[in-house]
Amino acid sequence: MDDVTRVRNALERAQFRRRVATVVGIVVVLVLTALGMTYVGFTVAEVVRQFDQWWAFVGAFLRPDFVDFTLATKNAGENGIHGFSALWYSLLHPGSIVTGVMSQASSGSVLTAAAATTVIVGFTGTVLGFPLALFFGILGSERVTPYPWNFVFRGTMSTIRAIPALVWILIFIPLLGVSAKAAILAIAVDTIGNMGRLFTDELEEIQDGPIEAINSTGASRAQTVVFGMLSQVSTSFIAWTLYIAEINTRAAISLGVVGAGGLGQYIQLKINFGTQSAYAQAAAGLIMVVFIVVAVELASSRIRARLRPGETEGKGVLDVIRSLGDLNKWLGRGTREDA
């Protein structure tokens, strides 16, 4: 057997092994999938049986009903003003929108009040979490706190980041009940982990020149941190804060699903009614969610683009709509790559 034949046979054997490994891998994946479906009781027959009911549910969502958009449309006449007519009526009567936003007690049944609650929960949670995020973020940097002491603060932030806001609110429910107040605390704690870690990473990348210049003047350690380090990253810190505020608005909607108020609670309550009219009203709630998320993300993106050197434009509307499928943002988790 010559060398060419031996090489060809070796290549054929290697190719055969790869094909066998591919087939075995596909079979293993299919078996694991079948076992997983059996474990949770998922069957195709059940999907077929429930399909007509589900299709009726989807059909109701295709006819959004804004009857709950404001108190005026909800209470107009015996049955209120339905469909997009309620939205049009509210736009023609801006005073009714203001009244709806101010009716905080109706946040679970009026869309404008629910939207205001959602935005307030996200914004307030971000503001309350910012001071501790700044504290842990600065002390977590090796440039400020020497190794291994900086890992105490990094470890704290990593632990907080590992727990989503949906779990943090369960911890605060015994303190404040299932409410928007508990949601604010949950988002504030979540902000400490997420924002603090972004601050730490930003400090690790600063230049040594300004620090050495401050040190040469005989400045104290605190003055070096403030004027030599934080002065380099102040713009980035503001940009990251806006980004986290954007994520927290989505998290506020998710927290509403567990009863913390806002748009999430409105949609969850409507779906629980289980009627076609309630599904149509839930669809209007979903449209409000998309509007709030897109508006907040566009505003945040535009401001961050202005703050960062070299950037003149933020995300476009299509980019924001594509990001609606980002599960991490809905769970209150963001990464540097997402920004």
Side-chain angles (χ1 to χ4, degrees):
M1 182 181 297
D2 56 21
D3 292 341
V4 174
T5 303
R6 280 197 296 273
V7 170
R8 185 175 61 192
N9 289 339
L11 291 174
E12 288 176 349
R13 286 194 297 273
Q15 191 177 40
F16 176 75
R17 286 195 294 270
R18 283 197 298 272
R19 287 174 179 170
V20 170
T22 301
V23 171
V24 170
I26 292 173
V27 170
V28 169
V29 169
L30 291 177
V31 169
L32 289 175
T33 302
L35 289 174
M37 293 171 68
T38 303
Y39 182 79
V40 300
F42 181 92
T43 63
V44 176
E46 182 181 8
V47 174
V48 173
R49 282 196 306 271
Q50 299 293 331
F51 186 81
D52 289 341
Q53 184 177 345
W54 175 79
W55 187 246
F57 171 82
V58 173
F61 268 76
L62 298 179
R63 299 185 297 276
D65 185 354
F66 286 88
V67 63
D68 294 332
F69 192 73
T70 64
L71 283 173
T73 57
K74 185 181 178 68
N75 300 326
E78 183 177 352
N79 298 316
I81 303 174
H82 291 274
F84 282 99
S85 296
L87 184 61
W88 182 243
Y89 174 87
S90 301
L91 293 177
L92 292 178
H93 299 80
S96 66
I97 297 177
V98 175
T99 304
V101 170
M102 298 303 293
S103 60
Q104 192 271 333
S106 304
S107 64
S109 59
V110 175
L111 279 173
T112 48
T117 300
T118 295
V119 173
I120 289 171
V121 167
F123 175 80
T124 309
T126 305
V127 172
L128 293 182
F130 177 82
L132 282 177
L134 185 63
F135 177 77
F136 279 85
I138 293 174
L139 295 182
S141 171
E142 193 171 1
R143 287 175 173 269
V144 178
T145 307
Y147 177 85
W149 308 113
N150 63 320
F151 272 89
V152 174
F153 302 97
R154 288 191 178 216
T156 302
M157 290 185 289
S158 296
T159 303
I160 292 173
R161 281 162 51 89
I163 303 173
L166 278 171
V167 176
W168 279 115
I169 193 173
L170 300 178
I171 298 173
F172 292 115
I173 284 176
L175 177 65
L176 295 170
V178 185
S179 63
K181 294 174 287 187
I184 288 174
L185 285 185
I187 287 180
V189 173
D190 200 51
T191 297
I192 296 170
N194 289 329
M195 196 190 296
R197 186 52 192 266
L198 292 172
F199 287 171
T200 298
D201 291 346
E202 201 69 38
L203 279 171
E204 299 294 353
E205 299 174 3
I206 58 178
Q207 302 294 321
D208 291 328
I211 300 173
E212 294 170 355
I214 294 294
N215 283 333
S216 66
T217 64
S220 65
R221 182 60 178 164
Q223 290 172 324
T224 301
V225 171
V226 173
F227 299 108
M229 298 181 183
L230 295 183
S231 61
Q232 295 190 55
V233 293
S234 57
T235 300
S236 297
F237 276 19
I238 294 172
W240 285 123
T241 302
L242 291 169
Y243 176 63
I244 293 297
E246 167 195 321
I247 291 177
N248 285 345
T249 302
R250 298 192 191 210
I253 295 170
S254 301
L255 293 177
V257 176
V258 298
L263 290 170
Q265 183 176 8
Y266 177 87
I267 295 169
Q268 191 261 348
L269 289 174
K270 293 299 178 184
I271 291 179
N272 281 350
F273 276 125
T275 63
Q276 294 291 306
S277 60
Y279 291 157
Q281 291 160 18
L286 285 177
I287 292 175
M288 282 293 287
V289 167
V290 173
F291 174 77
I292 292 295
V293 169
V294 170
V296 171
E297 189 160 347
L298 280 176
S300 172
S301 175
R302 289 288 189 276
I303 296 173
R304 282 185 281 133
R306 296 292 180 186
L307 290 173
R308 288 173 170 162
E311 292 186 32
T312 57
E313 295 184 359
K315 289 182 179 178
V317 175
L318 292 178
D319 295 328
V320 175
I321 292 175
R322 289 192 197 100
S323 73
L324 291 175
D326 190 336
L327 183 60
N328 283 329
K329 287 189 176 181
W330 290 104
L331 293 176
R333 297 187 302 226
T335 64
R336 294 171 70 86
E337 290 74 17
D338 294 330

